[in-house]
Amino acid sequence: MKIRYNENEEIVKTIKEGLERRGGYCPCVLEKSEDTKCMCKQFRQQIQDPDFEGYCHCMLYYKEK
C-alpha cells in the first residue's frame, strides 16, 4: 500500500491553500471536527480497507494497493 499526492499539481496546490485557510480542516466540508481534520476520518477508514484504491474525497491523496 502507498499513499501519495494527486499527480495534478494544481489540485494539490488548491487543496493545500484551502487547508491552510481552514487550519488543517478539510476545505471540502463545512464542519470543523476531528473527523474533518486532514487526513480526514473518511480517508483513514478507506486506507484500512485492503480492497480500496482511489482518491480521498477532496482529491488531495491517492491510495494505491
Side-chain angles (χ1 to χ4, degrees):
M1 176 191 68
K2 180 180 176 184
I3 307 295
R4 62 171 172 81
Y5 283 121
N6 188 322
E7 61 280 346
N8 184 319
E9 293 177 14
E10 191 61 36
I11 289 174
V12 172
K13 179 181 178 238
T14 301
I15 298 299
K16 284 185 167 186
E17 288 170 354
L19 285 167
E20 188 173 320
R21 281 192 309 273
R22 292 186 42 86
Y25 293 95
C26 183
C28 305
V29 179
L30 294 176
E31 176 189 355
K32 286 185 178 181
S33 72
E34 285 304 310
D35 291 347
T36 62
K37 189 88 169 180
C38 191
M39 267 181 195
C40 68
K41 180 179 179 181
Q42 179 184 9
F43 192 57
R44 291 190 312 262
Q45 289 173 337
Q46 289 172 321
I47 290 169
Q48 298 306 313
D49 179 355
D51 295 323
F52 175 79
E53 180 170 1
Y55 290 101
C56 66
H57 68 94
C58 69
M59 305 281 292
L60 178 62
Y61 296 109
Y62 187 85
K63 178 194 172 200
E64 298 176 0
K65 287 187 186 180

